[in-house]
Amino acid sequence: MDPASAAISPETRAAFSRPTMGVWAMLGACLLATALVSLKVKQGNEEEAIKHFTFGCDQIVRNIHDRLEDRALLLRSGAALLAASPSVARQDWRRYVEKMSADESFTGVQGIGFALVIPPHQLAAHTARMRAEGFPDYSVHPAGERAITTAIIYLEPFREGNLRAFGYDMFSEPVQRAAMVRARDTGKLTLSGKVALERETGTDIQADSLLYVPVYRNGMAQETPAQRQAALSGWVYAPLRMNDLLGGALHDWQQHEGRSTELHIYEGSEASAASSLFDSHNGPMAYSLIHQQRTIEFYGRRWLLEFDHIGSASSVSYAATWATLGGGLALSGLIFFLMLLALRDRARAIRLTNAAHVASQHLEEIRNQDEALRKFSLVVEQSPESIAIANIDARIEYVNNAFVTTAGYSRDELLGQNPSILGSGKTPPESFRAMWAALSQGQSWKGELSNRRKDGSEYLEFAIITPLRQADGSISHYVAIKEDITEKKRAGLELDQYRHHLEALVSSRTAELLIERDSTAAASRIKDQFLANMSHEIRTPINAVMGFAHLCLKLDLPKRGRDYVSKIAVAAESLLGIINDILDMSKIEAGKLQMESVPFCLDDVLEQVATLFKLKANEKGVELVIAAMPGIPDSLQGDPLRLGQVLTNLMSNALKFTERGEIR
């Protein structure tokens, strides 16, 4: 039996024949961390979906409010016309409505009308006057005596269902009467509750509501409710069909943003079939995770709005959560496997130590140690890592061949010099402060250093610097082991393996060098995965910024605000272009870039490029001229996206280096 094998106790073999509790504990910690991070990512996905959905709900509410405000503006204009003129004939009212294009510009408005207040003693005279105007069958309906009688005398367009409302007394219907009284007494525009209009017949029956604006006689006092009642001549009103009005508001948002939102609207604060004003999908609400409710006020009426996601599919994407969970599990398994390997190496080290202890009893030990030292020196000299030894005054006393090759200086030029001879001036001062703080306490320091070769080229190194102590505990030298990580840094490779590698060299002072196991193919896969994930995560907020900017540009903003929002939109489009360029470069390197061959218009491509850079050119005072040369046809066959990228790159460089004059 080998003496070294005999020196290993059974306990030692048992300890390293299976994973220890520490390895299992590390695996458990990794799995727990993976679960926590995945849960955090899941919560983030849900919060992001809710945030986007909340924004969409806000925009829909704003769209509904804008639509109602547009129609209210039309009614206020009509009321102003009637109040300002002593008499407005029927043809005048028709021309006004046609001029305002109410039947074409305001979806959901079935007409613009005027309801006249008729004192009881004037009812017969009113009926006779209307019949004399060419309406022999005219009468105020429903029939009967009432304290206050009104009649719709103007309603345009005066056709189809609107004809049935001619002469109708809206004040006879309780819901309409309540809205008319509120408008009369407050002098404000008022929205009625849910009603069934006289004009609604057939199969397309919808929930309806009416907007009222009171019209007072010019010159009469209107300060108190009693004065307003005395001065009232009638109401300008508009019947609103809720499906047409609110469906249009929801459709505009979905068409613009590509969102799929289900919307239910109820009158009051509770959801019920009787109070339903609008149902975008004629079915029960899904009540998903992103379901939301809003209670809002519109011209004296309270509405309950319920929003939800359309369809049975989940409204939240958990792709990132599953990717995080899968990656965490894979990483946990890898760490577990590496710790098993480390455990095996530790057992091997113990066996070697026991063998060395047995060999120390023989006179051959000295010769073996000398030979090992010679081999160690040879390995250090031929090591691919840069190794240097400096004295307590920070003067270089030894460098190996790799150090000389990397730095570009000869060995004689380096010996006796301070290591700062290699500094590029780009290493942060706090890194040096942390380094000397650790070394002065006798501790190792590891970190990145930015250096410059003799020829002036810069490179980045990962360094481990360890102080060497004498028998009395004082520090005599500093040993630095460094590796050029410039290319690895650019490729985005993880440096943990190399740190472990360098730390092993310092702590054991042995000549074992690890063989770099990373390959260019692995680096390329990591880079492609990183670029794909990066582009997906960055495109989402960029598209949101672009969408918000375009929405802001539709608002009535001051000139400076519109200029700022325009700049935000252009910058977002440029950033999205950069992301696309990065992905294209990755595809080119992988040989996966495919060119399209489709018909396209050259003027459209040129116009898009000009739009991207017009603002920046104006800011620099540079005139921008983009046009096709004579003889080039406008209709071409090819890849318009790639052509646009080429022109964009050329234009970007031209603007970058042009200070005045023009770019043609």
Side-chain angles (χ1 to χ4, degrees):
M1 179 180 296
D2 183 81
S5 300
I8 301 176
S9 64
E11 292 78 12
T12 301
R13 287 197 180 97
F16 294 99
S17 62
R18 62 185 182 277
T20 63
M21 293 300 297
V23 177
W24 289 108
M26 177 59 72
L27 178 60
C30 291
L31 294 177
L32 178 60
T34 297
L36 292 176
V37 172
S38 299
L39 180 60
K40 187 67 176 178
V41 172
K42 174 179 176 293
Q43 293 174 346
N45 291 339
E46 294 174 349
E47 291 173 358
E48 186 68 15
I50 293 174
K51 181 175 68 175
H52 282 287
F53 188 75
T54 299
F55 173 78
C57 295
D58 293 339
Q59 295 304 311
I60 292 174
V61 172
R62 179 62 181 272
N63 202 354
I64 293 174
H65 182 273
D66 290 345
R67 279 176 165 255
L68 288 174
E69 189 62 29
D70 290 341
R71 288 138 186 83
L73 179 61
L74 184 63
L75 296 187
R76 292 190 182 99
S77 300
L81 173 65
L82 292 170
S85 302
S87 62
V88 176
R90 184 176 307 278
Q91 57 271 22
D92 297 331
W93 184 257
R94 180 180 298 111
R95 283 195 296 269
Y96 162 75
V97 174
E98 290 175 352
K99 187 68 175 179
M100 299 297 291
S101 299
D103 57 337
E104 298 176 2
S105 303
F106 297 90
T107 304
V109 176
Q110 299 307 305
I112 307 298
F114 173 67
L116 179 69
V117 176
I118 306 172
H121 65 278
Q122 296 181 5
L123 180 59
H126 166 76
T127 302
R129 184 172 62 254
M130 294 301 295
R131 290 177 177 177
E133 289 182 7
F135 305 98
D137 297 329
Y138 173 84
S139 64
V140 176
H141 58 93
E145 295 183 359
R146 292 177 286 276
I148 298 178
T149 302
T150 69
I152 300 174
I153 61 173
Y154 298 154
L155 181 57
E156 295 295 335
F158 195 58
R159 61 175 181 267
E160 300 175 352
N162 285 341
L163 296 176
R164 286 186 293 274
F166 185 53
Y168 176 69
D169 183 2
M170 292 186 289
F171 211 83
S172 64
E173 201 279 324
V175 176
Q176 299 178 55
R177 180 170 61 248
M180 296 168 76
V181 169
R182 187 166 61 250
R184 177 197 66 189
D185 294 345
T186 62
K188 297 179 180 179
L189 188 145
T190 303
L191 181 66
S192 76
K194 179 180 178 182
V195 298
L197 297 179
E198 280 285 302
R199 71 177 314 282
E200 290 286 0
T201 59
T203 58
D204 186 22
I205 298 179
Q206 306 180 17
D208 299 293
S209 186
L210 296 102
L211 275 173
Y212 292 98
V213 175
V215 180
Y216 302 102
R217 295 180 181 88
N218 197 8
M220 296 185 66
Q222 304 171 21
E223 300 298 327
T224 66
Q227 292 174 342
R228 296 190 189 101
Q229 293 177 17
L232 182 72
S233 64
W235 295 265
V236 174
Y237 79 100
L240 306 177
R241 306 191 81 198
M242 291 303 168
N243 283 4
D244 297 338
L245 175 69
L246 303 178
L250 183 63
H251 180 72
D252 289 348
W253 167 251
Q254 292 178 342
Q255 287 292 323
H256 181 68
E257 293 294 329
R259 307 295 173 86
S260 297
T261 304
E262 182 176 358
L263 173 61
H264 291 191
I265 301 180
Y266 304 92
E267 184 182 22
S269 302
E270 296 183 357
S272 66
S275 63
S276 177
L277 291 175
F278 174 75
D279 184 353
S280 63
H281 281 272
N282 296 321
M285 184 70 71
Y287 294 101
S288 66
L289 174 66
I290 60 176
H291 172 266
Q292 293 190 9
Q293 286 187 341
R294 307 287 176 84
T295 301
I296 56 179
E297 295 278 346
F298 284 125
Y299 307 117
R301 302 301 302 178
R302 176 173 294 179
W303 287 1
L304 173 65
L305 281 69
E306 288 192 340
F307 300 88
D308 208 335
H309 173 75
I310 290 178
S312 59
S314 174
S315 57
V316 183
S317 174
Y318 293 105
T321 302
W322 289 113
T324 302
L325 181 61
L329 293 176
L331 183 59
S332 299
L334 178 61
I335 293 176
F336 181 75
F337 176 74
L338 293 177
M339 292 189 69
L340 289 180
L341 294 180
L343 206 62
R344 185 193 64 183
D345 293 339
R346 183 181 176 188
R348 183 182 301 168
I350 292 178
R351 291 197 299 271
L352 293 176
T353 301
N354 291 335
H357 177 70
V358 174
S360 65
Q361 301 175 6
H362 304 282
L363 296 177
E364 195 70 21
E365 180 183 11
I366 297 176
R367 184 170 63 253
N368 292 340
Q369 290 181 351
D370 290 341
E371 181 66 14
L373 182 60
R374 186 186 66 82
K375 291 181 179 179
F376 175 77
S377 299
L378 181 61
V379 170
V380 169
E381 190 63 29
Q382 297 179 354
S383 171
E385 285 78 19
S386 298
I387 300 175
I389 300 176
N391 58 24
I392 193 64
D393 296 325
R395 298 293 177 180
I396 299 175
E397 292 186 355
Y398 170 80
V399 293
N400 67 347
N401 286 332
F403 194 103
V404 172
T405 302
T406 301
Y409 291 90
S410 67
R411 196 184 301 268
D412 291 338
E413 290 176 326
L414 292 170
L415 295 180
Q417 296 291 334
N418 189 292
S420 61
I421 189 177
L422 302 176
S424 67
K426 295 184 178 180
T427 302
E430 53 268 24
S431 296
F432 289 113
R433 288 194 293 268
M435 176 180 69
W436 286 112
L439 295 179
S440 62
Q441 296 177 5
Q443 300 175 356
S444 296
W445 175 86
K446 56 185 177 181
E448 296 179 359
L449 297 174
S450 178
N451 292 331
R452 180 180 288 111
R453 297 183 179 88
K454 184 178 180 179
D455 60 4
S457 59
E458 295 181 0
Y459 61 100
L460 186 66
E461 288 186 318
F462 179 80
I464 297 179
I465 303 177
T466 302
L468 298 181
R469 294 183 178 274
Q470 301 184 93
D472 59 358
S474 61
I475 298 175
S476 62
H477 291 83
Y478 300 99
V479 176
I481 301 179
K482 303 189 293 182
E483 183 178 25
D484 186 352
I485 61 170
T486 304
E487 294 300 324
K488 294 177 182 177
K489 197 69 173 182
R490 291 174 182 168
L493 296 177
E494 297 289 338
L495 299 180
D496 289 341
Q497 296 181 9
Y498 304 105
R499 294 193 187 99
H500 296 326
H501 169 61
L502 297 177
E503 290 170 352
L505 288 175
V506 174
S507 61
S508 62
R509 299 181 185 176
T510 64
E512 296 183 5
L513 299 176
L514 299 178
I515 300 175
E516 182 179 355
R517 291 173 290 181
D518 295 323
S519 66
T520 304
S524 178
R525 288 194 300 271
I526 294 174
K527 181 190 69 176
D528 292 343
Q529 183 179 4
F530 168 76
L531 290 176
N533 292 337
M534 178 272 294
S535 65
H536 174 75
E537 296 300 331
I538 294 181
R539 275 178 172 174
T540 299
I542 289 179
N543 287 330
V545 170
M546 293 172 63
F548 299 159
H550 287 307
L551 286 177
C552 290
L553 289 175
K554 293 180 178 293
L555 302 178
D556 186 14
L557 298 175
K559 182 177 181 181
R560 177 173 294 179
R562 179 170 295 276
D563 180 55
Y564 289 164
V565 173
S566 298
K567 291 180 179 178
I568 291 174
V570 172
E573 292 176 353
S574 298
L575 183 55
L576 186 61
I578 292 174
I579 296 302
N580 292 332
D581 290 343
I582 293 175
L583 289 178
D584 289 342
M585 290 302 299
S586 176
K587 292 180 180 178
I588 291 173
E589 292 177 358
K592 298 180 180 180
L593 182 66
Q594 297 181 354
M595 303 294 287
E596 285 188 324
S597 181
V598 297
F600 68 94
C601 178
L602 180 60
D603 286 345
D604 291 344
V605 176
L606 298 180
E607 183 177 355
Q608 291 174 2
V609 175
T611 301
L612 281 177
F613 295 97
K614 186 181 299 180
L615 180 61
K616 187 173 181 181
N618 291 337
E619 291 177 350
K620 296 187 66 175
V622 176
E623 182 179 358
L624 185 61
V625 180
I626 301 181
M629 293 179 63
I632 297 180
D634 182 60
S635 297
L636 299 176
Q637 182 84 10
D639 192 330
L641 175 61
R642 306 304 173 196
L643 177 58
Q645 289 175 331
V646 171
L647 297 177
T648 299
N649 291 335
L650 293 175
M651 184 60 65
S652 177
N653 289 334
L655 273 175
K656 181 178 179 181
F657 298 106
T658 302
E659 298 298 333
R660 58 182 180 273
E662 71 172 14
I663 298 173
R664 181 177 297 273

